Amino acid sequence: MKTVTVGQALPELIVPITASAIVAAAIATNDYEDVHHDKAAAQATGVPDIFMNILTSNGFVQRYVSDWCGPEARIAAVDIRLGAPNFVGDTMRITGEVSRVEGDEVDVRVSGRNAIGEHVAATVTLYWRARA
């Protein structure tokens, strides 16, 4: 069993932002907004390229925390905010830290940053049955 303490840092996850990943994830989440798959349409809105949708960002946040906690915990809630877009060719670096431990509940603050700034900020609440 894993010991969890406030202030504990999670290992960094590096996510390359590719056109294939953006398009595949948008399709997988039934998001057919053209800014997620059509470069010309995205550029017509004033951005340089297609960009990641919020459901994909949410998925990366949940994957990041789930990879860390493993099967000992389940995600109870995710509070997420988007910031700077993730464009093709960038890299998102996801970091996290345990911010609260109360009984069987654990909060993890997550930040995903790219070259522009913070792409995603989230608090993930876990229900952790088997904490040591």
Side-chain angles (χ1 to χ4, degrees):
M1 286 185 268
K2 185 182 292 194
T3 300
V4 180
T5 58
V6 172
Q8 182 176 350
L10 282 64
E12 182 180 59
L13 174 65
I14 297 173
V15 181
I17 308 301
T18 66
S20 294
I22 291 172
V23 173
I27 290 169
T29 59
N30 291 319
D31 185 344
Y32 301 107
E33 194 67 38
D34 56 7
V35 295
H36 303 306
H37 64 84
D38 183 330
K39 184 174 182 172
Q43 288 175 329
T45 70
V47 298
D49 208 331
I50 62 174
F51 53 91
M52 187 176 285
N53 73 356
I54 190 170
L55 293 172
T56 305
S57 303
N58 193 1
F60 275 117
V61 165
Q62 291 187 49
R63 169 198 164 188
Y64 174 68
V65 174
S66 293
D67 284 355
W68 170 74
C69 68
E72 296 176 18
R74 69 175 170 81
I75 294 175
V78 178
D79 179 19
I80 193 167
R81 291 181 322 279
L82 285 187
N86 267 338
F87 292 115
V88 173
D90 209 340
T91 300
M92 180 171 56
R93 296 178 181 281
I94 304 177
T95 58
E97 181 178 295
V98 175
S99 59
R100 181 180 70 93
V101 178
E102 289 182 16
D104 291 339
E105 285 191 7
V106 175
D107 282 353
V108 178
R109 283 198 194 118
V110 177
S111 177
R113 299 188 68 82
N114 59 36
I116 302 170
E118 188 170 54
H119 168 70
V120 63
T123 299
V124 179
T125 301
L126 303 170
Y127 178 69
W128 203 305
R129 292 182 195 239
R131 281 192 320 101

